[in-house]
Amino acid sequence: MKIGILALQGDVREHAWAIQNTGNEAVEVKKASQLEGLAGLIVPGGESTTIGKLMEEYGFFSAIKEKAEEGLGIYGTCAGLILLAKEIAGSTQPRLGLMDIVAQRNAYGRQRESFETDLEIPVLGEEPFRSVFIRAPYIEAVGPEVQVLATYDNKIVFARQGRFLASAFHPEETEDLRVHRYFIRILKREV
Ligand code: GLN
């Protein structure tokens, strides 16, 4: 399976490593024409305003939305979660808006700007998932079609809507491939 990583800004290499380690092909996507033939796309962490501006400039918004309608699966981590959200609390910044979620940016105060914790994520199995949060958002509210996959401190940090997946944390910062594998299972329609 060919999985693209949107390579405008952010931790592209780490996601590519994870995808390759699941036995799939990773493609660094720098222009919209490279979306052709992909089963899935990862929108990595970084700065959502910067990535959004670059996406606009390079024609990614319309191209990705078109592909999403044709069946492209998308997984957004952190800034990627924000870009997938229909609503971003207090912000009009550009976004894909494909998931019926409200994202709250930089939702963890200064003391917790970056932290790691073990999350219970039932869809990944019994073993907790070591989760790295870096100036992370959380999901403030979800629509009826959204499945909540994990919470932390009573806030939603991992969610799915059909072929779209979003996490506030960075699984690519660990060597645990379970989130990437789960995304691939979504693309294969196994889950
Ligand atoms: N704080 C960033 C934003 O609002 C997201 C941080 C990240 O992706 N690690 O876009």
Side-chain angles (χ1 to χ4, degrees):
M1 225 172 211
K2 232 161 110 174
I3 317 283
I5 329 276
L6 188 65
L8 300 175
Q9 194 219 27
D11 32 5
V12 176
R13 250 184 248 159
E14 293 83 348
H15 278 295
W17 180 90
I19 291 298
Q20 282 154 7
N21 277 282
T22 66
N24 289 279
E25 190 186 339
V27 184
E28 294 195 6
V29 175
K30 295 200 165 110
K31 38 185 203 230
S33 60
Q34 291 174 293
L35 294 169
E36 220 50 61
L38 298 180
L41 178 72
I42 294 178
V43 182
E47 196 56 47
S48 58
T49 47
T50 307
I51 299 175
K53 256 185 226 151
L54 293 170
M55 284 172 82
E56 210 159 45
E57 210 174 302
Y58 293 106
F60 272 110
F61 281 119
S62 50
I64 292 175
K65 281 188 221 170
E66 211 168 277
K67 289 288 172 199
E69 261 177 44
E70 292 168 12
L72 178 73
I74 305 175
Y75 169 33
T77 53
C78 204
L81 174 155
I82 296 164
L83 288 157
L84 275 172
K86 229 174 228 165
E87 214 181 308
I88 304 166
S91 171
T92 56
Q93 69 190 78
R95 73 206 65 175
L96 287 163
L98 291 167
M99 281 182 82
D100 195 6
I101 59 177
V102 183
Q104 175 71 55
R105 293 182 63 197
N106 302 319
Y108 298 93
R110 270 217 180 150
Q111 263 173 325
R112 272 210 192 147
E113 242 179 34
S114 296
F115 61 97
E116 289 186 34
T117 188
D118 289 323
L119 286 183
E120 299 290 336
I121 308 180
V123 293
L124 301 185
E126 260 176 33
E127 199 188 317
F129 193 87
R130 189 76 186 156
S131 305
V132 180
F133 291 77
I134 304 165
R135 301 213 308 124
Y138 59 58
I139 299 172
E140 211 169 71
V142 299
E145 281 166 38
V146 178
Q147 185 188 358
V148 173
L149 302 178
T151 60
Y152 172 69
D153 257 3
N154 295 317
K155 306 289 188 207
I156 302 164
V157 293
F158 192 27
R160 171 186 178 182
Q161 181 178 353
R163 288 183 316 278
F164 306 136
L165 187 67
S167 70
F169 54 89
H170 292 263
E172 78 285 2
E173 292 287 328
T174 68
E175 287 181 6
D176 193 333
L177 297 174
R178 284 181 292 161
V179 173
H180 290 86
R181 286 212 174 98
Y182 182 68
F183 180 50
I184 284 155
R185 291 186 70 203
I186 290 176
L187 301 177
K188 288 187 173 161
R189 290 162 209 273
E190 291 174 1
V191 285

